[in-house]
Amino acid sequence: MAVDDLEIARAFDQARTELYCPPCRLEVLRDPKRRWERPRLEAQSSVLKGVVQVRTEPIHTSRHPEDYLLWSLRHSLGHAHYCPYDVRTAYQLQKAAYSITRSRELSFFTLLLFSDLQLDCGYLRDRFRMMPYHLEEDFRRARPKGIGRLFYSVYQLFYPSLAGHHVPREFSTYSALIAETIRLPKPWFIKVQTIAAVLRKLRARN
């Protein structure tokens, strides 16, 4: 089902209003060869330097295009409104993760994982009282691979109804620790360092 630019703009305005108008503007990407920023799995929108980029192809192939579009925009705008909120906070969180991992790559992944989980399993769930639809769509589209399996195994602890993909048993302990960290009412810097320590152990075993 096709979604035109007007519908995308309306969904963007709705999501932006719901999330208290973060200072972002919309950019629709129709050229599949054009570079864009992927924050997570197969999400069809992302935010970079105040610009929310939306790819149209995944929207058109969705079972529920309007819901997928709106929830993906809520997710992207939620990063600007709530977590990590701004570049300075993101930098400080990654720096906290680096103090544990001593790895730029792993500290950056820690920041991405924390930000997505804090948003999808905390803020957005509490704000709208339901599972974010983009999660259902993303995990339905493809079986998670590599480190994406860790994302999935943590999400499934919060949302058991997500598609039943197989995840190695070894991930269960780590995903449970990460999920519990997200649930606890602790400062973000402590949460990030805790998740970083978990990921460091996971990488050491693999």
Side-chain angles (χ1 to χ4, degrees):
M1 177 181 175
V3 177
D4 61 29
D5 285 3
L6 181 58
E7 291 173 296
I8 294 174
R10 286 173 177 169
F12 175 79
D13 288 342
Q14 177 182 337
R16 185 168 177 267
T17 299
E18 291 170 341
L19 298 179
Y20 308 105
C21 298
C24 298
R25 64 180 178 85
L26 175 67
E27 181 180 14
V28 179
L29 303 183
R30 297 188 179 278
D31 183 354
K33 297 180 180 179
R34 184 172 180 179
R35 180 180 178 273
W36 73 298
E37 300 297 321
R38 282 179 57 169
R40 174 189 51 83
L41 300 176
E42 293 298 325
Q44 59 79 41
S45 70
S46 67
V47 59
L48 179 67
K49 296 181 179 178
V51 178
V52 176
Q53 298 176 322
V54 175
R55 289 191 308 162
T56 58
E57 181 183 356
I59 302 171
H60 298 160
T61 58
S62 170
R63 288 180 175 176
H64 303 287
E66 295 86 357
D67 291 337
Y68 187 45
L69 171 62
L70 179 59
W71 273 103
S72 295
L73 287 168
R74 285 169 173 168
H75 176 91
S76 294
L77 288 164
H79 281 306
H81 162 64
Y82 175 68
C83 183
Y85 180 69
D86 58 14
V87 174
R88 180 180 179 181
T89 304
Y91 172 77
Q92 293 297 332
L93 290 172
Q94 185 177 353
K95 185 177 178 181
Y98 183 80
S99 71
I100 303 297
T101 65
R102 312 310 296 180
S103 164
R104 295 184 186 279
E105 180 182 8
L106 194 57
S107 64
F108 182 66
F109 178 75
T110 301
L111 172 64
L112 293 182
L113 179 61
F114 167 75
S115 298
D116 277 353
L117 293 174
Q118 191 71 28
L119 188 60
D120 290 331
C121 303
Y123 181 79
L124 289 180
R125 184 178 67 167
D126 295 341
R127 176 77 169 76
F128 297 101
R129 300 296 179 182
M130 61 187 299
M131 179 178 74
Y133 178 72
H134 65 275
L135 297 178
E136 178 181 336
E137 185 77 28
D138 289 343
F139 288 120
R140 179 189 65 80
R141 287 170 180 265
R143 179 172 60 88
K145 299 178 182 179
I147 201 64
R149 296 175 298 176
L150 181 63
F151 269 91
Y152 170 72
S153 61
V154 179
Y155 275 122
Q156 197 174 42
L157 293 174
F158 286 93
Y159 304 113
S161 63
L162 284 174
H165 298 299
H166 172 72
V167 175
R169 185 178 298 177
E170 65 185 277
F171 278 9
S172 61
T173 299
Y174 299 103
S175 58
L177 289 171
I178 293 172
E180 183 61 23
T181 300
I182 294 298
R183 290 189 180 101
L184 292 175
K186 291 186 176 182
W188 285 1
F189 292 97
I190 294 178
K191 289 187 177 186
V192 163
Q193 290 182 323
T194 302
I195 293 174
V198 172
L199 294 179
R200 184 183 61 181
K201 291 180 181 178
L202 178 60
R203 186 175 68 171
R205 291 197 57 179
N206 292 275

